[in-house]
Amino acid sequence: MSKSHQRFGEKSHQRSGEISQRLAKLNPRQQEAVRYIDGPCLVLAGAGSGKTSVITSKIAYLVQECGMSARKIAAVTFTNKAAREMKERVGQLLKGREGHGLTVSTFHTLGLNIIRGELKTLGYKSGFSLFDPEDAKALLRDLMQKDAQIDADQINRVQSQISTWKNDLVLPGQALSHAVDEDEQYAARLYEAYNRHLKAYNAVDFDDLILLPVVLLQSDPEALARWQRKIHYMLVDEYQDTNVSQYLLVKLLMSERATFTVVGDDDQSIYAWRGARPENLVTLGEDFPRLKVIKLEQNYRSTGVILRAANTLISNNPHVYEKTLWSDMGPGDAIRVVVNRHEEAEAERVASEILTRRIKESAAWRDFAVLYRGNFQARLLELKLQHYQIPYKLSGGTSFFSRNEIKDAMAYLRLLINPGDDNAFLRIVNVPRREIGPGTLEKLANYANDQATGRGISLFAACHELGLEQLLPTRAVERLGRFVHFIDGVRKRMDQGDAIAAIREMLRDMDYEAWLHQNASAPTVAERRMANVWILIDQLEKSMQRDPEEIEASEDTETDSVEAAISRLVLRDILEQQAEEDDSDRVQLLTMHASKGLEFPHVYLMGLEEDLLPHRNAIEAGTVEEERRLAYVGITRARRTLTLTLARQRKTYGELMDCTPSRFLDELPEDDLEWEGRADKENPEKKQARGQVAIAGLRSLLD
């Protein structure tokens, strides 16, 4: 035997040993989920049951044990954060070239890749734009202006309706027949004009990233065959959150081989309001009769008492697949239910208790999380935490990409790769100020859209036309000419050499920093904003420095890689709410919706009252089952202790109103609850003991 064959044999034996060791760490159900690869598989993964370990182990198993090329595997989930974590964990299992070409991404990034690979088939030009929700809203506002007086709520309603139609695969020509009232008929007419304008701008919106691939794969057998050859195995995380179009994308790609694993939990489906269809779990069994269902019921997160409460609560919802979470972590502490006089007393109680428990238990601030149904509940709590000088992080802060300076820089980048992007043009044609007024822009737009050919051209292209001189004053034509000449020069430098250097030079040449200083409240504010812009450009540069094999696989040229990198930044803009992960030592304040996927040693669930949880809108709409799932998600975030709080009175529109305890409290196992502040439920001995503990805690603080 040659030395090379011997080394290969040793490596293969070593790898087989590693796989065996990895699988040995999984429980029997997890092992079954990893090893089953011969057909469609649904893994019903309860909260805290180690589903990510199953997905990442299965990817490694397919590559290392089954000999499948990583290029043929696609794992998709819903958020950039989840995709990034999955990619990191897979990277620890697949060494060297084993993982090359593996797709681990969000649904929307997968859709973007399909669109980029099928540009000609779909009828788009290279360097198409991706409209974020604000861009889309601006376009709708322009289209609606001519109809009547419009307000922000009306624009939001139309935008939401169009998004719903796209997610449900209702095309513009079909929307009118789906409209149930005058408002929807109006939205249907706008939908057609909106899509027509998007196509004219060589642009797509966020929902198109799934809609366009699905429509293409349904109507073009050759394109379908191409993508079925590319993807031999799919893994889908958080499957209960898929909408109609996402379900169809998976079904189309996997229709020939039926080799896929979807992981989900119908009890954690809490996004119906944005199109998620938990019934996709049922449809899957109907479309793939050979579907194998594997339940992961062992929980590695919470105590027995917390899991019993979660199981008992959710048993009040109907189920297609029954499952019961269990844990070998012991029963743990009783669940405390604290009744307070009013909402201020509730916030005071939570804040003071976090302070006392941190000292008493030597806990970190980050060990505590306060969850609530609506963001407004955090206002009073913030004041109380500030009073006690408790550091906290409030979820839903300002997104990095929603800052004005970043939106300006992104608009310049979008215009550089796609001069036909009218939205980007309109945002930055006067930033920094170039004395190009709204009257000039209106005439320019009319000229661009009313060409004799009837086809229309972009605003940027219209600025190059000689005919513009007959419509606008000479000074206005010169100013527009200087702007497009400036952008053309930057594009030329990008094509000729270092694209990033050309972009940095552009920002310096137009003295964007001086513009920030002119419009900032203080020099330090302007400096911080400029620093944000440089962070963005650094991020763009890093995004271009991809694996050579990845670039080769996507058939990008050097210029294409700039376009691809900017497209990825625009997509990240839409998908990510926070610019960076924050793991500093602070109490976490977040809605129950935002808490999904997270876990904390100590959880406070605030506002267990009718009309709050369950929410009044859900009670009126008859969707209490989803509110119950939301409460279930909140409960299962807790690892060691869980405290539920409510108020007897709460201010509504300035008036103090009596509150009714949530029906969900009656659905919890009574023996596992320890009530405080309610005489008929409270244990007098425990009440006295609590008082003594509180006094001791205050003494230690004073000492």
Side-chain angles (χ1 to χ4, degrees):
M1 183 186 288
S2 71
K3 287 186 178 180
S4 61
H5 276 84
Q6 188 177 350
R7 279 197 301 272
F8 178 79
E10 288 171 358
K11 275 188 178 178
S12 180
H13 181 73
Q14 181 185 350
R15 193 166 58 188
S16 183
E18 287 174 4
I19 295 166
S20 299
Q21 287 176 356
R22 193 181 305 133
L23 289 178
K25 292 176 183 175
L26 304 178
N27 67 43
R29 294 286 76 76
Q30 289 175 326
Q31 289 180 26
E32 184 184 5
V34 169
R35 287 195 170 107
Y36 184 76
I37 59 166
D38 296 327
C41 180
L42 165 61
V43 180
L44 272 179
S49 61
K51 66 183 176 68
T52 309
S53 294
V54 167
I55 294 171
T56 53
S57 296
K58 190 156 193 169
I59 293 169
Y61 183 80
L62 285 165
V63 174
Q64 296 173 335
E65 189 75 4
C66 307
M68 186 178 288
S69 167
R71 291 179 177 282
K72 303 290 186 184
I73 301 170
V76 291
T77 186
F78 282 84
T79 66
N80 274 337
K81 182 186 174 192
R84 191 163 55 242
E85 286 175 358
M86 196 183 293
K87 206 166 193 172
E88 286 170 1
R89 288 176 68 166
V90 172
Q92 292 166 6
L93 303 179
L94 297 178
K95 305 297 183 186
R97 299 181 63 83
E98 281 183 329
H100 278 226
L102 174 70
T103 297
V104 179
S105 71
T106 62
F107 262 106
H108 291 91
T109 304
L110 176 63
L112 180 65
N113 291 340
I114 294 174
I115 292 170
R116 282 178 59 78
E118 301 288 344
L119 277 180
K120 287 182 182 175
T121 319
L122 287 165
Y124 287 88
K125 299 190 290 287
S126 179
F128 66 93
S129 298
L130 177 55
F131 271 35
D132 70 13
E134 287 304 313
D135 295 330
K137 196 172 288 181
L139 174 54
L140 284 170
R141 188 183 295 112
D142 290 344
L143 293 172
M144 293 167 75
Q145 286 286 9
K146 61 182 182 296
D147 292 332
Q149 286 293 102
I150 55 162
D151 57 32
D153 287 344
Q154 194 178 357
I155 296 171
N156 288 338
R157 282 196 299 274
V158 170
Q159 186 175 22
S160 174
Q161 182 60 63
I162 291 173
S163 178
T164 299
W165 278 327
K166 288 195 176 192
N167 288 332
D168 289 346
L169 286 179
V170 177
L171 300 176
Q174 306 163 329
L176 208 52
S177 63
H178 284 73
V180 296
D181 55 31
E182 283 186 17
D183 285 346
E184 287 194 9
Q185 288 169 6
Y186 175 60
R189 288 191 294 272
L190 276 168
Y191 181 17
E192 200 146 7
Y194 168 76
N195 251 33
R196 201 172 59 245
H197 278 74
L198 278 180
K199 196 68 192 282
Y201 297 159
N202 194 38
V204 298
D205 69 15
F206 191 55
D207 297 310
D208 286 332
L209 295 181
I210 310 295
L211 174 75
L212 289 175
V214 169
V215 171
L216 172 72
L217 298 179
Q218 281 180 324
S219 60
D220 189 330
E222 289 182 9
L224 178 62
R226 273 196 298 275
W227 286 92
Q228 286 178 338
R229 283 195 299 271
K230 282 176 186 263
I231 302 175
H232 287 195
Y233 203 99
M234 270 191 96
L235 301 102
V236 184
D237 192 15
E238 302 290 5
Y239 185 73
Q240 76 283 345
D241 293 337
T242 53
N243 58 33
V244 171
S245 54
Q246 288 161 340
Y247 173 77
L248 275 172
L249 182 61
V250 176
K251 182 184 170 185
L252 285 161
L253 290 170
M254 293 291 103
S255 57
E256 187 181 348
R257 288 186 181 81
T259 47
F260 63 80
T261 296
V262 302
V263 182
D265 181 6
D266 51 345
D267 291 332
Q268 294 189 74
S269 181
I270 57 173
Y271 296 119
W273 50 277
R274 68 182 191 201
R277 299 290 178 92
E279 57 267 32
N280 284 347
L281 290 164
V282 181
T283 312
L284 194 68
E286 295 167 354
D287 288 341
F288 296 92
R290 292 196 303 120
L291 182 72
K292 184 177 181 67
V293 180
I294 300 170
K295 299 178 186 178
L296 303 185
E297 296 172 295
Q298 183 174 358
N299 174 285
Y300 293 92
R301 176 189 299 161
S302 308
T303 63
V305 163
I306 291 168
L307 294 180
R308 187 156 55 237
N311 288 330
T312 310
L313 174 72
I314 208 65
S315 66
N316 290 279
N317 274 5
H319 287 82
V320 177
Y321 303 108
E322 295 290 341
K323 68 177 185 309
T324 304
L325 296 180
W326 61 275
S327 163
D328 57 10
M329 297 173 70
D333 297 342
I335 295 168
R336 294 164 59 242
V337 185
V338 182
V339 184
N340 302 277
R341 290 196 314 281
H342 43 62
E343 58 194 324
E344 188 168 347
E346 180 188 38
E348 171 74 31
R349 177 64 182 268
V350 171
S352 61
E353 199 168 285
I354 287 173
L355 180 63
T356 307
R357 288 180 73 173
R358 179 182 186 262
I359 294 164
K360 184 182 168 190
E361 300 176 24
S362 301
W365 294 121
R366 68 166 71 88
D367 290 345
F368 298 92
V370 186
L371 313 182
Y372 34 78
R373 179 64 178 81
N375 277 310
F376 72 92
Q377 292 171 260
R379 292 172 198 156
L380 267 176
L381 183 61
E382 281 193 83
L383 294 173
K384 299 298 180 185
L385 293 171
Q386 288 168 7
H387 173 73
Y388 286 112
Q389 298 183 329
I390 295 173
Y392 65 89
K393 177 194 174 186
L394 183 68
S395 72
T398 304
S399 161
F400 179 74
F401 286 94
S402 68
R403 301 172 193 274
N404 273 330
E405 65 272 18
I406 299 303
K407 282 191 166 291
D408 289 344
M410 287 298 293
Y412 270 101
L413 294 176
R414 282 165 42 200
L415 196 64
L416 288 170
I417 65 165
N418 177 18
D421 190 332
D422 284 352
N423 268 42
F425 178 95
L426 290 169
R427 180 173 182 96
I428 48 96
V429 68
N430 227 10
V431 175
R433 186 163 166 72
R434 298 182 177 92
E435 296 183 341
I436 299 169
T440 298
L441 293 173
E442 186 181 5
K443 288 175 183 174
L444 175 67
N446 288 335
Y447 176 84
N449 291 322
D450 292 337
Q451 291 296 292
T453 59
R455 289 169 59 193
I457 55 174
S458 73
L459 299 177
F460 190 87
C463 293
H464 289 88
E465 301 240 328
L466 293 172
L468 203 58
E469 295 174 0
Q470 298 168 14
L471 190 72
L472 291 172
T474 305
R475 192 179 297 175
V477 173
E478 286 174 354
R479 286 169 183 160
L480 287 169
R482 277 198 296 272
F483 173 67
V484 295
H485 179 72
F486 174 65
I487 296 296
D488 281 337
V490 178
R491 295 183 75 226
K492 190 175 179 181
R493 289 197 296 277
M494 287 173 68
D495 289 341
Q496 289 173 343
D498 187 339
I500 296 296
I503 291 166
R504 291 184 191 278
E505 189 180 346
M506 172 190 74
L507 289 164
R508 283 190 286 266
D509 286 349
M510 68 188 188
D511 209 357
Y512 184 71
E513 189 165 7
W515 161 258
L516 289 176
H517 276 277
Q518 287 167 23
N519 292 278
S521 55
T524 51
V525 173
E527 288 161 12
R528 189 165 64 247
R529 288 176 180 166
M530 194 64 215
N532 286 337
V533 173
W534 294 130
I535 288 170
L536 178 76
I537 305 306
D538 289 344
Q539 198 61 44
L540 176 64
E541 189 169 22
K542 284 177 188 170
S543 187
M544 287 174 61
Q545 293 166 354
R546 292 185 294 154
D547 191 302
E549 193 167 319
E550 189 183 341
I551 292 172
E552 184 187 336
S554 63
E555 298 174 1
D556 285 337
T557 63
E558 185 58 36
T559 307
D560 281 338
S561 71
V562 180
E563 293 175 355
I566 292 172
S567 294
R568 284 194 293 274
L569 274 184
V570 174
L571 186 57
R572 189 185 307 176
D573 170 359
I574 298 169
L575 286 171
E576 286 193 349
Q577 291 304 302
Q578 291 295 93
E580 56 191 49
E581 297 303 316
D582 186 349
D583 59 355
S584 56
D585 191 17
R586 297 191 276 175
V587 174
Q588 306 294 303
L589 312 184
L590 63 171
T591 63
M592 276 174 265
H593 280 104
S595 73
K596 189 162 170 289
L598 304 175
E599 59 181 73
F600 309 92
H602 309 290
V603 168
Y604 289 82
L605 226 59
M606 288 177 70
L608 267 289
E609 301 146 29
E610 289 290 296
D611 293 341
L612 200 49
L613 185 67
H615 197 275
R616 181 188 302 140
N617 294 347
I619 296 170
E620 291 172 356
T623 55
V624 170
E625 286 175 12
E626 175 145 340
E627 293 290 296
R628 189 176 284 111
R629 292 196 291 267
L630 191 57
Y632 173 87
V633 166
I635 289 169
T636 52
R637 299 312 95 198
R639 283 162 49 191
R640 283 173 44 206
T641 71
L642 175 64
T643 305
L644 313 176
T645 70
L646 61 152
R648 290 198 188 93
Q649 290 186 312
R650 197 174 288 275
K651 272 189 182 176
T652 308
Y653 302 113
E655 189 180 345
L656 210 57
M657 307 289 286
D658 290 337
C659 303
T660 306
S662 170
R663 69 189 72 186
F664 298 151
L665 290 170
D666 294 329
E667 295 175 0
L668 298 175
E670 196 170 338
D671 291 346
D672 291 337
L673 303 183
E674 193 177 281
W675 288 78
E676 299 177 24
R678 186 169 159 178
D680 61 325
K681 299 265 191 183
E682 197 163 7
N683 183 321
E685 292 175 6
K686 287 188 176 178
K687 183 177 180 180
Q688 187 179 359
R690 273 199 316 275
Q692 291 169 350
V693 168
I695 291 166
L698 286 169
R699 279 183 182 147
S700 69
L701 278 173
L702 291 169
D703 291 343

